[in-house]
Structures are given as structure tokens and as C-alpha cells.
Amino acid sequence: MMSNCKSPAGIDRSEKRFTWILTASGAFIVVLLIAIFFTLFITALPAIKKFGLTFLISKSWNATAESFGSLPFLVGTLLTSFLALIIAIPFSISISMFLGEYCKEGAISNFLRSAIEVLAGIPSVIYGLWGIFLLVPLVRSLEMQLGIVPYGVGILTSSLILAIMVIPFSASLGREVISLVPGDLKEAAYSLGATRFEVMKNIVIPYARSGIIAGILLAFGRAIGETMAVTMLIGNSSFLPTSIFSPANTMASVIANQFSEATGIVASSLIYIALVLFLVTTIVNIIGNYVIHKISIEASKEVT
Amino acid sequence: MEKQINIRLFKDTLFKGLVCLFAFASALPLFLILYYITKNGIAVINWDFLFNLPRPIGESGGGIGSAIVGTIMLIILSGVISIPFGIATGIYLSEQKKGKLSSIVRLCVIVLQGTPSIVIGIIAYIWVVLPLKTFSAMSGGIALSIMMLPVIIKTTEETLKLIPYHLKEASLALGVPYYKTMLKVILPAGLSGIVTGILLSIARITGETAPLLFTAFGNQFMNLNILKPIDSLPYRIFYYAMSPYPEWHTFAWGASFILVVFTLVFNLIARGISAKWKTQF
């Protein structure tokens, strides 16, 4: 009977090998991430040793004097990302409310949903190219009207393009949490005579608040790491930005602009910046996903 | 009383109007971008543009043939590296729903997905370019495959989780060993979802430029050697867009048109597959 079967021992061995491969490839991801961290840390070590944590608050980036500080880039990153979020939030919340509440299905909402999805899929370099030819002249003419040096490129231009790029990310999460708001809560408010606006303001938004905040956090994580479009529009300046119109550099764009010519301590400093960027996005992503995880657990509790 | 109600109704209408306005205003950039790309890009596209090599400035003509070949090579390279790992990890996560290692792996996938592409570019530079002492298609493929991994893992895991348990039980009850059940029953059942994930991840990396800046680097000549620098569409767009020459700017638009068509086609096929062969039980 057993003769024309594979022996149980043979099956056992394949079985073990299969489980081993699966576990190993799972463990590989963990190893990969740890390796990324240590590679960045070790190659940045000369700069870490030389500048320490003052690297983060020193504002001089001077290759001839060999003194490096990342404050201009930190400020540039935070300014562009926050400005982008401030611009993007009204739009993305409107989309989430429109798709999650006002117009859940039908041709119009399908159209808007696909448009947002396509917007999310357009490569960042094309956003940059488009920005150069449409946004830069627009911002330049605005600057001329205001009587400022008309660079055209700068923090405002980058923030505008970043805002367009992050809208889809916060909007899709926002739509999901808004459509998760239990119907009986809304119906109770309606039956008391509330208008739709009042239901939105007092029921839907407070209920979906943590999800919307998670969406904004994830959008923030994306905005600080975005490279190409910003590199093309920010103007590549290593000085501390003085206004939202001045050219600057973000952490990602300074690496893109200068890493290919960098050697020695410059390269090491740039990798130090990459390490900081990596850690910040990691923390932002973990917090954002923790919030999402909590919401999904709460939602599944409510169903049962 | 009447006045109060009217104010509230007015507020309601105003708010609805604002929501609609903002929602549709955010779709506007998409149409502006598509309009610009078509208007400026379609005029330069012809056989010459699609198949020729880039020429130095001063000579008219020339094209993006090497960039298209390079992009296809990079997609194949990164796919070969990341698809097996991605699917295996996806199976692992869908099988080990609880457990310490699997929750750590899940966290790592999330972190990897959020890692900025420029950081991954630097990593590939340190790992591959420095030891080999040359920019190469290989290093670009490795950088892109790290970016593909999280998408493939996530979609594989989500798809396999949807497959009902009785399918597995039925197979095991017939005496089929566990690994054969997984490979011959569960995996084929979720194939459409996995293929969708792979296509989406390809659509994601096709337009990535930042990881290629210090890895694949760009090359004016046709190159099929994976240990030499290679051109790619997004890099060529970046290079042309940052140049001061108007003729190159129109080339950038033309290349953008091709790149958008590439990514849209991958997205559409992915959607078509998931709509037509949806994993249903």
C-alpha cells in the first residue's frame, strides 16, 4: 500500500522545508529592515561622531569649512510638509465626506473615486515636470505682484505640489472611516430634527476623528519623504529659509541634489540626514498604523 | 422660530455646496496634468522618438528608445527578485495570523512601505554600487524590488485570508500534505488577487526616480548588461526637465506621456483582473 506513495518521511522533509522557507522569507523582511538601519548608522558614523546631536540644530552647511548642520533642511522639510497638509486637509476631508456620506454610490462618486485613484498613481517626477511649467510661473507672477524676489521655485511651490500629491492618501482613509460611522447614530440625530450639516459636525466628524487624524499622519509621513517633485521645485538652497517664498531644501531633496557628488564627510553627513529621515518616517508610520489598527478593532467589536 | 430654521437650512446647503466644490476641485489637477501631458507630449511622439537613442544637444531628433528598454529591464529585474520573496512572506503572514514573529514581520512591512524612496536609493548605493564600484542596472533593480516587496506581501496576505477554511480542510482531509495544499489549492485559488498585487506594485515602481539617481544612474546608450548603468523613463524625464533647452523640455513631455500610459495600463489591467476573476466564494 505504502510502496507507491512517497514515504511519510519524505513528505515530512518537504513539509519541513516548506515551513522553513516561509518562516525564513518572513524573517528576511525583519533582517532587511534591521540591515537598512545599521547600514545607515554605520556609514553615517563619521558624521555622528564629529557633529553629534548638534547636527540637528546647527544651521551651517558649508563644504569648504567642513561644518555641517541639518537645521535648514529640517526646517525646510517641516515647513513644506505642514504647509502642504494645511492646503490639503480641507480638500481631502471634503472628498471623504462627499464619498463617505453625501454621495456613496452612483456615477458621480465612481468618477471622483477613480480620478483620485489615478491621481495617486501619477509618478512624482511628472508632478515635478508639471509644476515647473505651470506652478512656477504662477508663483513667480504672484511674487512679482507682492514685490518679492521672483524665484518662482521655493517652499510655497513645493508645498502646493505636495498638497496635490498627498490628498489621495488621506482622502481614501477618511472615506473609509466616515462610511464606518454607524447608521443608527446618524438616524437618531436626524430624528431629533438635525440638518445634515449638524449631523456631520456633531456626529460623523467626532466619531471618525481618530481615523481622519491617522490619514493626515500617513499623508504627513509621505510628504516628508517625497523626493523628486520637491527636488525639482524647491530651488536647492542650503540656507535657512526666511519666508515661504524663499528657495530651500528638504531632507530628501538635499540628498537627491548633492549625494552623487559627495565624498567623505559630506556623504557621511548626507547619510546622517537619511538616517534621521528614516527614523522620523518610521515613527510617524507606526503611530498612524497603530491608530488605524485600533479603529478596525473597535469597528469589528461594534459589528458583533 | 421660522428664521432660526431658515438659518440652519441655509448653513446646511452652504456646507453641502462647499464640500462638493472642494471635492471636485481636487480632481482638477488630474485633468490639468493629463491635458498638459497630452498637449505637449503627443506632438513629439513618432517612431523616431520611440526607438532612437538620445542625441546630444545641438543635434535635432533623437528619442527615448534606450529609456524604454531600460525601464522594462528594471521592471523584470526587480520583479524576479521581489515576487518570490513577496509571495512566500504573504503566505507566511496569512498562515500565521497570530504569533510574535509574524506580528513583527507585519510591522516591518508597514515600516518598509513608508520608507522614503530616496533612503532606499542610498541603501542600494551602499550595498551594491560601492562594492561593485560602478552604477548598474542590478543596483537599480534591487532598490526597486525593496519598494515592490511591501505591496506584494500585503495583497498576497489579504487575498489568501479571504479564501475559506473549508477549502483547505477538504484538501487536508483527502490526505494531501500541507505544503501541496498550500501550493496546489490555496495559491491557485487566490491567484487573481496576487497577480493584481504584482501589477499594482509594478505600476508603483515604474515611475520611481529617486532610487535610481545613485543606482541605475542613466545612460545615453543602449545597454543590456545588468552590471552597467542603464537609462530609464523617469530618469530621462528628470534629466530633460532640469535642462535649460526648450527642445529637451518637449522631449520630457513626450517621455511623460509614455510613462503615464505605462502606469495607467498596469493599473487598468490590474483592475480588470480583479474585477473579472475576483476571488469569490
Side-chain angles (χ1 to χ4, degrees), chain B residues 124-141:
Chain B
Y125 175 83
I126 297 171
W127 284 353
V128 188
V129 176
L130 281 184
L132 293 180
K133 295 193 176 61
T134 167
F135 296 111
S136 62
M138 192 67 199
S139 55

Side-chain angles (χ1 to χ4, degrees), chain A residues 16-87:
Chain A
K16 266 187 192 142
R17 206 177 297 147
F18 183 69
T19 338
W20 190 85
I21 289 174
L22 291 190
T23 318
S25 56
F28 171 75
I29 303 294
V30 184
V31 173
L32 182 70
L33 208 66
I34 294 172
I36 288 178
F37 174 76
F38 277 103
T39 311
L40 290 176
F41 185 76
I42 289 167
T43 28
L45 210 55
I48 295 175
K49 268 189 188 148
K50 193 163 173 196
F51 306 116
L53 283 176
T54 53
F55 185 72
L56 300 176
I57 48 167
S58 153
K59 63 179 181 181
S60 84
W61 183 268
N62 191 335
T64 42
E66 290 214 337
S67 85
F68 297 101
S70 65
L71 190 68
F73 316 124
L74 272 174
V75 173
T77 308
L78 290 179
L79 262 180
T80 45
S81 311
F82 276 122
L83 207 56
L85 282 186
I86 290 169
I87 300 169

Side-chain angles (χ1 to χ4, degrees), chain A:
Chain A
M1 184 71 188
M2 287 302 287
S3 57
N4 52 5
C5 283
K6 218 173 175 184
S7 72
I11 291 175
D12 241 30
R13 208 175 304 133
S14 324
E15 194 86 44
K16 266 187 192 142
R17 206 177 297 147
F18 183 69
T19 338
W20 190 85
I21 289 174
L22 291 190
T23 318
S25 56
F28 171 75
I29 303 294
V30 184
V31 173
L32 182 70
L33 208 66
I34 294 172
I36 288 178
F37 174 76
F38 277 103
T39 311
L40 290 176
F41 185 76
I42 289 167
T43 28
L45 210 55
I48 295 175
K49 268 189 188 148
K50 193 163 173 196
F51 306 116
L53 283 176
T54 53
F55 185 72
L56 300 176
I57 48 167
S58 153
K59 63 179 181 181
S60 84
W61 183 268
N62 191 335
T64 42
E66 290 214 337
S67 85
F68 297 101
S70 65
L71 190 68
F73 316 124
L74 272 174
V75 173
T77 308
L78 290 179
L79 262 180
T80 45
S81 311
F82 276 122
L83 207 56
L85 282 186
I86 290 169
I87 300 169
I89 284 172
F91 289 98
S92 64
I93 291 186
S94 294
I95 298 172
S96 349
M97 286 197 285
F98 187 83
L99 293 178
E101 177 68 28
Y102 281 97
C103 186
K104 277 191 182 169
E105 44 209 34
I108 298 178
S109 85
N110 272 340
F111 164 77
L112 186 63
R113 196 175 305 150
S114 343
I116 300 298
E117 270 174 35
V118 176
L119 206 55
I122 288 184
S124 126
V125 67
I126 292 182
Y127 277 107
L129 177 69
W130 181 71
I132 290 178
F133 289 94
L134 185 81
L135 289 182
V136 169
L138 274 181
V139 172
R140 190 175 290 148
S141 61
L142 175 72
E143 285 170 340
M144 281 201 220
Q145 298 233 316
L146 294 174
I148 318 167
V149 192
Y151 291 111
V153 292
I155 289 180
L156 181 67
T157 324
S158 316
S159 308
L160 285 170
I161 209 82
L162 272 180
I164 299 173
M165 295 177 75
V166 299
I167 284 173
F169 290 88
S170 45
S172 70
L173 192 65
R175 179 184 69 84
E176 268 173 46
V177 287
I178 284 182
S179 57
L180 277 181
V181 177
D184 41 6
L185 277 184
K186 285 185 283 186
E187 278 155 24
Y190 281 128
S191 72
L192 291 173
T195 62
R196 204 165 203 174
F197 166 63
E198 285 156 356
V199 173
M200 275 295 184
K201 197 180 83 179
N202 299 319
I203 311 289
V204 175
I205 298 294
Y207 192 90
R209 191 179 47 212
S210 51
I212 293 173
I213 291 173
I216 293 171
L217 254 177
L218 292 186
F220 178 68
R222 221 187 130 71
I224 52 181
E226 180 49 52
T227 316
M228 287 326 288
V230 174
T231 306
M232 293 162 88
L233 296 173
I234 200 156
N236 191 15
S237 149
S238 299
F239 299 104
L240 204 60
T242 47
S243 78
I244 58 165
F245 293 103
S246 56
N249 245 337
T250 65
M251 292 156 87
S253 77
V254 72
I255 300 171
N257 274 319
Q258 304 190 358
F259 188 72
S260 45
E261 292 128 39
T263 48
I265 192 77
V266 188
S268 176
S269 304
L270 287 170
I271 293 170
Y272 195 174
I273 293 180
L275 178 67
V276 176
L277 188 61
F278 176 66
L279 291 177
V280 172
T281 47
T282 301
I283 292 167
V284 169
N285 274 303
I286 289 178
I287 296 175
N289 278 288
Y290 174 72
V291 177
I292 296 171
H293 188 65
K294 248 175 82 176
I295 296 168
S296 63
I297 288 176
E298 272 166 25
S300 64
K301 263 185 201 156
E302 227 132 273
V303 170
T304 47

Side-chain angles (χ1 to χ4, degrees), chain B:
Chain B
M1 187 66 188
E2 186 80 357
K3 208 178 156 197
Q4 183 73 25
I5 290 176
N6 277 337
I7 290 175
R8 284 173 58 204
L9 284 178
F10 173 71
K11 263 192 198 164
D12 184 50
T13 326
L14 185 75
F15 185 69
K16 191 176 178 182
L18 276 180
V19 165
C20 292
L21 183 76
F22 273 96
F24 281 94
S26 35
L28 192 68
L30 174 70
F31 295 101
L32 277 175
I33 291 173
L34 292 183
Y35 169 73
Y36 264 71
I37 291 176
T38 347
K39 190 188 83 177
N40 298 317
I42 217 148
V44 290
I45 292 173
N46 49 36
W47 289 121
D48 192 44
F49 182 71
L50 287 180
F51 293 109
N52 271 353
L53 297 180
R55 298 219 178 107
I57 191 68
E59 273 180 65
S60 65
I64 53 166
S66 56
I68 293 178
V69 173
T71 292
I72 294 171
M73 269 182 68
L74 283 171
I75 290 174
I76 294 172
L77 260 175
S78 45
V80 167
I81 302 169
S82 64
I83 291 172
F85 270 119
I87 293 180
T89 313
I91 298 176
Y92 172 75
L93 287 180
S94 73
E95 285 301 293
Q96 308 282 324
K97 291 194 181 65
K98 286 178 184 141
K100 220 166 206 166
L101 181 61
S102 63
S103 57
I104 294 174
V105 173
R106 232 169 253 131
L107 188 70
C108 287
V109 172
I110 288 168
V111 171
L112 204 59
Q113 189 156 29
T115 303
S117 51
I118 190 89
V119 172
I120 291 174
I122 285 195
I123 288 295
Y125 175 83
I126 297 171
W127 284 353
V128 188
V129 176
L130 281 184
L132 293 180
K133 295 193 176 61
T134 167
F135 296 111
S136 62
M138 192 67 199
S139 55
I142 287 174
L144 293 180
S145 66
I146 298 178
M147 305 210 63
M148 274 175 95
L149 265 178
V151 185
I152 300 180
I153 294 173
K154 275 249 160 123
T155 42
T156 308
E157 187 197 354
E158 300 292 321
T159 315
L160 295 187
K161 265 187 188 166
L162 289 179
I163 292 170
Y165 199 70
H166 57 69
L167 212 65
K168 201 199 257 167
E169 273 174 348
S171 168
L172 291 176
L174 290 171
V176 181
Y178 173 73
Y179 74 98
K180 277 200 174 159
T181 306
M182 288 311 293
L183 291 178
K184 299 245 160 99
V185 178
I186 303 296
L187 213 51
L191 194 65
S192 72
I194 296 172
V195 172
T196 307
I198 292 172
L199 285 171
L200 285 179
S201 68
I202 291 177
R204 182 185 177 201
I205 58 144
T206 310
E208 277 297 342
T209 324
L212 300 179
L213 289 176
F214 334 117
T215 52
F217 193 68
N219 190 341
Q220 293 188 22
F221 304 102
M222 188 65 87
N223 167 38
L224 297 174
N225 182 347
I226 59 167
L227 295 177
K228 290 267 166 62
I230 198 171
D231 214 5
S232 64
L233 274 173
Y235 182 82
R236 194 76 356 223
I237 296 171
F238 176 62
Y239 184 75
Y240 280 158
M242 301 308 276
S243 77
Y245 314 112
E247 198 197 355
W248 280 11
H249 292 157
T250 60
F251 281 3
W253 286 111
S256 302
F257 185 84
I258 306 285
L259 183 60
V260 167
V261 169
F262 258 59
T263 44
L264 280 188
V265 163
F266 281 124
N267 270 315
L268 284 179
I269 299 176
R271 271 207 212 180
I273 287 178
S274 66
K276 197 168 178 190
W277 293 289
K278 197 165 182 158
T279 322
Q280 274 173 340
F281 293 98

